[in-house]
Amino acid sequence: REERDVSEKIISEASAMTAKLSGVYGLYVINLDSGFSYGINENEEFEPASLNKLPVMLGLYIEHESAGLDLDTKYTLKESDKLPGSGSLSSKLAGMVLSYRDLIRYMAKESDNTAFNISRRVLGQEKIDNLIKAVGMKNTAVIGEDQKTTPADIGLFFQRLYQGSLVSQKSRDELLDYLTDTLYEEHLAAGVPDGTEVSHKYGR
């Protein structure tokens, strides 16, 4: 009952905060100990923006563990790899040598579009789509023109990642570490009490 009372209070406060703002707002919270969850518009479909990088980052770790993909494999940056927008790789000189692990780090910490462009080709759309299904994200697509996701799907992604049902603890911890102390700490993480580590993915 206590969790339900808290959830109703938070839903009420969040609804009041966004009532006069333009746009549609979604919220989804899961208690990782009890499994209790609640939300606002948690099943509403949103454009994922840079949250589309989450399944791709995880996919590289899964391919590493299940198919022997070496994350220390070297890749030479090409001019044709570069995509504008977030991240610094588009400003680097062609010929720069990166590892697949570097690409994950760039996607997590800088939301780098060029790293995403390379990584999605490494995995291929079929493996990315299969991963999304395996996680249980029923309303998510991150490749192509009709990209979408929901707060509930993203919440499920982080829940399953944190609980260790997708990759080994070593891979999980490395990915969560990359998703902490990013270039975007003034957004979601800024509202969390000091001393609390926040692993998150920013998208605009």
Side-chain angles (χ1 to χ4, degrees):
R1 179 60 192 174
E2 182 179 351
E3 282 187 316
R4 192 166 299 281
D5 289 344
V6 170
S7 69
E8 290 173 356
K9 180 175 183 291
I10 291 173
I11 288 172
S12 177
E13 290 177 352
S15 298
M17 289 171 62
T18 58
K20 295 183 179 180
L21 300 178
S22 63
V24 178
Y25 291 80
L27 167 72
Y28 189 58
V29 178
I30 307 170
N31 183 321
L32 295 175
D33 292 324
S34 69
F36 180 79
S37 65
Y38 59 92
I40 301 171
N41 294 325
E42 64 267 34
N43 294 309
E44 182 85 15
E45 291 181 359
F46 293 84
E47 183 179 337
S50 281
L51 274 71
N52 65 359
K53 297 179 174 78
L54 286 170
V56 175
M57 287 187 280
L58 180 63
L60 288 172
Y61 282 108
I62 289 178
E63 193 71 3
H64 166 64
E65 294 185 358
S66 65
L69 177 70
D70 186 355
L71 295 182
D72 294 318
T73 297
K74 302 302 181 185
Y75 181 88
T76 302
L77 181 66
K78 303 178 181 63
E79 201 64 39
S80 59
D81 294 325
K82 297 180 181 181
L83 289 181
S86 57
S88 62
L89 285 181
S90 62
S91 65
K92 304 295 186 183
L93 293 176
M96 178 183 182
V97 177
L98 301 148
S99 69
Y100 291 162
R101 184 173 275 109
D102 289 333
L103 296 175
I104 297 171
R105 180 170 52 83
Y106 272 100
M107 282 189 283
K109 293 198 170 294
E110 299 185 14
S111 200
D112 195 288
N113 290 339
T114 297
F116 172 72
N117 192 32
I118 298 167
S119 299
R120 68 182 175 184
R121 291 203 314 268
V122 170
L123 287 173
Q125 182 167 347
E126 183 178 359
K127 288 181 180 177
I128 296 169
D129 290 342
N130 288 341
L131 164 64
I132 290 169
K133 292 177 183 176
V135 173
M137 302 166 77
K138 297 179 180 178
N139 298 295
T140 295
V142 301
I143 303 293
E145 295 182 359
D146 299 320
Q147 295 185 34
K148 62 180 181 177
T149 193
T150 66
D153 275 6
I154 297 298
L156 177 64
F157 175 94
F158 275 106
Q159 179 186 30
R160 295 202 61 195
L161 174 63
Y162 181 79
Q163 292 177 339
S165 61
L166 300 173
V167 289
S168 67
Q169 183 174 339
K170 179 181 179 182
S171 294
R172 180 204 71 173
D173 289 349
E174 184 171 277
L175 179 53
L176 289 176
D177 180 64
Y178 287 156
L179 290 166
T180 306
D181 190 23
T182 73
L183 294 184
Y184 304 100
E185 297 303 293
E186 72 274 23
H187 300 291
L188 180 65
V192 176
D194 291 341
T196 304
E197 288 192 357
V198 182
S199 299
H200 62 99
K201 183 71 198 74
Y202 169 75
R204 181 176 61 187

